[in-house]
Amino acid sequence: MFEIEKLIRENIKALKPYSSARDEFKEFTANMVFLDANENPFENGVNRYPDPQQIAVKTALSKLKEIPLSQILLGNGSDEVLDLIYRAFCEPKTDNVITLPPTYGMYKVLANINNVEEREVLLTDKFQPNVKEILNVADRYSKILFLCSPNNPTGNSFSNESVEILLKSFPGLVVIDEAYIDFSSEISWLQRLDEFPNLIITQTLSKAYGMAGIRLGICYASLEIIAVLNKIKPPYNVNELTQQRALRRILTKNKVQKEVDKILEQREKLIQKLKSVAFVEEIYPTDANFILIKVDDASKRYEQLLNKGIVIRNRTTQPLCENTLRLTVGTTSENIKLIKALNEL
Ligand SMILES: *Cc1c(COP(=O)(O)O)cnc(C)c1O
């Protein structure tokens, strides 16, 4: 039996959260006079503190994803959401988390910041989770397993079968980072959130939604997990401008889908063109808005492209990624420039 209470840090269980002016008074009506939060009373659009519970944004997301409001938490980017998860569940110097390199670098950075041991279990040569080894390495202090699917920087999705075994057998929380889910041919694990009390899914407006600049990360989990995270989040962690822009974007989902469709179309074209570049040795399958390729000499090719004004990501120092480059799919004209430059080398 999974019990969330056993995973929460003692100090967090005992914590009495800060109660902001906006927490204590919520029944807004038009003609009320607000003299409770020491704000400047002169209206300029942002003179008031933002809604600490971001109800408008969450309501839109709740309708879109068919997940109750009480199972959604928003953060200042997914990076804040991930940090909150560490702080709620991982006792520094005692607990550990498991990551599966090559993967997103923030899981490790956050482990170091929070002084939490990070155990690494390499992906297989097909870039899939090594289920047996993960369960081997896990112990009763293993609080979080990070599964990034589609994975950055490899681009592939993890097999549903492996993820399901891990969800059922891992003793702690399983975070599935779905930053790239809107580009994927696989469906989101959100559909199955209610089946797994230890499942946390993170998504973001930074990639498919085209809003990296506003910083909005989304966390979906059980009511109990969301309640713990809510207790420790900074009261006004998502600012007013972000809430406004995010709401507008979420409500124009068709525009987002059109851009995603274009990016996917461009991704296929890029893959075709990359096949005829002489020094490209391998193009890895991708479910994301980027392509990982293996070349003859990644550092050399990276420098050469930089000299032509094109910035890509050299991933050669990552495990299993020797001589690989990660290419983000750009606009049609950007991709043409990239292919032209590659062919000139
Ligand atoms: C880009 C990315 C994110 C996004 O983080 P934000 O803080 O929401 O911008 C999260 N996870 C992965 C794996 C990413 O590649």
Side-chain angles (χ1 to χ4, degrees):
M1 245 318 269
F2 178 82
E3 281 179 76
I4 189 69
E5 281 294 311
K6 288 194 178 150
L7 295 182
I8 306 170
R9 290 170 67 199
E10 289 304 323
N11 65 316
I12 302 296
K13 271 190 231 169
L15 181 82
K16 199 175 173 325
Y18 173 75
S19 182
S20 70
R22 282 298 161 273
D23 282 322
E24 287 181 8
F25 192 84
K26 292 174 185 152
E27 285 84 51
F28 301 93
T29 62
N31 291 326
M32 278 181 162
V33 176
F34 285 101
L35 305 176
D36 57 344
N38 301 344
E39 297 149 331
N40 178 325
F42 300 105
E43 286 297 333
N44 62 18
V46 289
N47 59 312
R48 300 290 175 187
Y49 278 102
D51 175 5
Q53 278 301 322
Q54 310 103 11
I55 297 300
V57 180
K58 282 192 205 165
T59 302
L61 280 172
S62 170
K63 282 198 186 125
L64 183 67
K65 306 283 184 176
E66 299 178 336
I67 299 287
L69 232 68
S70 57
Q71 290 184 254
I72 307 176
L73 175 117
L74 303 182
N76 185 14
S78 337
D79 292 345
E80 184 187 39
V81 170
L82 296 172
D83 188 51
L84 289 173
I85 299 170
Y86 268 97
R87 290 200 279 154
F89 298 103
C90 297
E91 192 61 37
K93 296 188 190 175
T94 304
D95 291 333
N96 65 75
V97 302
I98 299 179
T99 70
L100 315 181
T103 193
Y104 186 48
M106 276 310 283
Y107 314 137
K108 182 178 191 157
V109 172
L110 290 169
N112 291 338
I113 292 172
N114 287 292
N115 205 4
V116 169
E117 182 195 350
E118 185 230 15
R119 298 184 177 175
E120 302 188 344
V121 179
L122 282 194
L123 294 176
T124 65
D125 54 1
K126 296 238 159 47
F127 298 145
Q128 288 294 323
N130 184 338
V131 174
K132 215 175 139 198
E133 188 57 21
I134 294 167
L135 296 176
N136 239 341
V137 161
D139 59 23
R140 66 197 189 93
Y141 297 105
S142 299
K143 293 296 185 72
I144 313 173
L145 167 65
F146 289 99
L147 302 178
C148 185
S149 183
N151 187 40
N152 178 5
T154 59
N156 64 300
S157 297
F158 292 162
S159 93
N160 290 327
E161 200 190 348
S162 301
V163 174
E164 183 155 351
I165 297 171
L166 289 167
L167 279 165
K168 287 179 174 155
S169 317
F170 186 73
L173 300 164
V174 176
V175 172
I176 306 184
D177 184 340
E178 292 191 336
Y180 299 98
I181 193 65
D182 296 293
F183 302 107
S184 176
S185 51
E186 298 287 334
I187 57 164
S188 166
W189 281 89
L190 266 185
Q191 324 296 326
R192 302 187 61 187
L193 187 59
D194 288 342
E195 280 179 56
F196 306 103
N198 59 339
L199 172 58
I200 298 180
I201 296 165
T202 61
Q203 295 184 354
T204 176
L205 295 202
S206 295
K207 307 287 158 61
Y209 280 78
M211 305 209 111
I214 71 169
R215 313 302 302 129
L216 193 87
I218 308 158
C219 175
Y220 302 97
S222 71
L223 191 143
E224 291 79 10
I225 293 174
I226 295 297
V228 178
L229 298 177
N230 256 323
K231 204 163 119 167
I232 65 168
K233 82 171 187 65
Y236 304 113
N237 61 329
V238 179
N239 73 70
E240 179 64 28
L241 298 176
T242 294
Q243 292 190 39
Q244 288 175 13
R245 289 292 296 265
L247 180 61
R248 261 162 52 200
R249 190 70 165 158
I250 293 162
L251 294 176
T252 55
K253 192 177 159 275
N254 287 345
K255 270 196 199 160
V256 175
Q257 191 54 50
K258 274 192 189 140
E259 290 179 6
V260 168
D261 291 344
K262 270 192 207 153
I263 291 167
L264 292 180
E265 203 184 291
Q266 280 297 306
R267 183 179 79 187
E268 287 324 297
K269 285 201 176 145
L270 254 182
I271 290 171
Q272 291 314 314
K273 301 275 189 213
L274 285 167
K275 285 181 180 167
S276 55
V277 177
F279 55 83
V280 173
E281 294 172 4
E282 190 156 4
I283 305 164
Y284 296 95
T286 179
D287 247 344
N289 65 334
F290 57 83
I291 305 165
L292 189 76
I293 58 172
K294 196 181 211 51
V295 296
D296 55 346
D297 182 342
S299 300
K300 175 173 131 189
R301 301 307 179 184
Y302 174 82
E303 286 299 327
Q304 287 177 324
L305 279 178
L306 205 54
N307 287 332
K308 290 177 176 288
I310 297 175
V311 191
I312 56 165
R313 202 86 203 268
N314 183 358
R315 297 283 75 186
T316 193
T317 59
Q318 300 292 301
L320 309 177
C321 289
E322 197 186 344
N323 281 322
T324 61
L325 298 170
R326 193 190 69 194
L327 317 170
T328 307
V329 179
T331 61
T332 307
S333 72
E334 288 171 335
N335 300 332
I336 289 171
K337 277 185 198 160
L338 171 67
I339 291 297
K340 183 168 171 287
L342 286 170
N343 282 316
E344 283 167 6
L345 302 186

